[in-house]
Amino acid sequence: MPAGSSAAATNDGVEAGRTPGAVMNPAARAAALAGDPTCPMCGGLGYLRRDVPIDHPDFGRLEVCTCRLGEVRQQVHHRLFAMSNLQALQHLTFENFQPRGRVGLGPWQADSLERAYNQARQFSQTLNGWLLLQGKYGCGKTHLAAAIANFTVSLGVPTLFITVPDLLDALRFAYNDPESTFEERFEEIRTAPLLVMDDFGTQNATAWAQEKLFQIVNYRYINRLPLVVTTNLLLEQIEPRIRSRLEDPELVTSVVIQATDFRRPTDDAGHSELSSLAMHHEQTFSRFDDRSGERLPEADQRSLQNAMRQANDFAHHPDGWLVFTGPAACGKTFLAAAIANYRADLGQPPLFIMVSELLDHLRATFSPTSPVSLDRRFEEIRTAPLLILDDLGSQSNTPWAQEKLFQLFDYRYLLRLPTVITVTGLMENIDARLLSRLEDARLCTICPITVPNYRGMAKEPVKQGSKRTKPKK
């Protein structure tokens, strides 16, 4: 039967045609809610109350009449667009996105960017499932998310594009909004036909905020509503209940963008801030001295040649673990850096770091002013696609340091992640748990370098009274 006008007038939170901040008077509100006066179903009221038994869950529930469905959809479309602030992001489209990034981006980084671009375009065409875009600041996540939103809006799909801090602010402000209730605003957000949540993880993680975000994500998960999430966080850093939804492979397509900050074109190497490879940029295979002119013992010479051959092979095809052992200044670090520089030139910069500095970086996270947590820093190190650990054994062997190194080694050992390690001194001096991983011949290749310390070729003395001759050009 037709609903009463008083009930109908309170069901819709925001009406089409009103200006932001304006409160509609009762007459104007009733006019905005009115349906078609000639409608045989509602008689012009615009709403119906279902004719069901009193014990039915829908008893007393109001529904929009079919004569108003198109108008209601248009109202929702306008409200979500206004809340999205997409007007300021209309320039972010698929057409002006560079799928391979700027000139000079390494192939590995460009491939990840192009993969994200292709997944975003496909998602915008189907709106099937969820799309999770991960990556550092400036890598293109927000551009792709906004491009999806702008494309779907152009098709008439009501879309809410909003950063997570703004989303939470919109909910907080709804408590004092004279035009709509908190419940109406919350329902509008979680039921949006397409929801794009940008910068997930930058919000103030209060208990209230975590709970509201979970309720939104969980509702869309249960009802399989399309969702796009961008974040610079690792999955391990996201609240466990939400993370479990984002890890569902049947629903979620996850893409990690490895590209560097597009807004900083001079930073095109893509090195981790932890990496010290820049200090070793001149240590390449072409500059390596095989010391053939030093008349070294044949066995020593062979050990150096074998180490260089193993390093070259690993640089071309990183697989398993490669360990260089030997005295100080025998060439271990040089070969490890040569591997790193070769991979960096291919656009796949590894994490090159001394073991003692690695532990210092982890300890630095204990400071209250540290911008990153211990978990995030450790995760960055242990999951590096290629990790090069220089000077194992020189670190302070406190119980904490030993435990962290074992956790690092064990993780990469179990996942068979490519790793290069240099060891000064005897292998027997290494912690027994680490040594057990290094001695596994199925994964690890050990290259002992037996040559003495490298001090360079001695210069010929200049005889007193003789003149130096200029080198021929």
Side-chain angles (χ1 to χ4, degrees), residues 193-215:
L194 171 61
L195 176 60
V196 181
M197 301 171 71
D198 190 36
D199 266 353
F200 194 96
T202 59
Q203 71 278 356
N204 185 11
T206 63
W208 179 87
Q210 293 282 35
E211 188 60 31
K212 291 304 159 194
L213 288 177
F214 171 71
Q215 289 173 357

Side-chain angles (χ1 to χ4, degrees), residues 102 105 109 259-272:
R102 50 178 158 68
L105 198 64
Q109 298 162 316
T260 53
D261 192 341
F262 191 86
R263 294 180 287 266
R264 297 167 59 191
T266 57
D267 183 23
D268 58 1
H271 295 302
S272 164

Side-chain angles (χ1 to χ4, degrees), residues 225-245:
L225 297 177
L227 174 68
V228 178
V229 176
T230 78
T231 182
N232 71 322
L233 297 181
L234 301 168
L235 278 176
E236 290 74 10
Q237 297 174 282
I238 295 175
E239 198 267 338
R241 295 179 299 171
I242 295 176
R243 182 176 72 233
S244 69
R245 274 70 175 168

Side-chain angles (χ1 to χ4, degrees), residues 112-161:
S112 71
L113 190 61
E114 186 173 24
R115 184 163 55 251
Y117 169 80
N118 291 334
Q119 290 290 350
R121 290 218 72 151
Q122 181 180 348
F123 180 87
S124 69
Q125 299 282 347
T126 62
L127 296 184
N128 184 27
W130 292 7
L131 179 63
L132 173 63
L133 299 174
Q134 296 174 267
K136 297 180 180 178
Y137 294 111
C139 70
K141 305 185 304 295
T142 295
H143 189 145
L144 288 175
I148 293 172
N150 284 319
F151 179 80
T152 54
V153 165
S154 71
L155 297 180
V157 178
T159 300
L160 175 57
F161 174 99

Side-chain angles (χ1 to χ4, degrees), residues 14 44 244 447:
V14 187
S244 69
C447 289

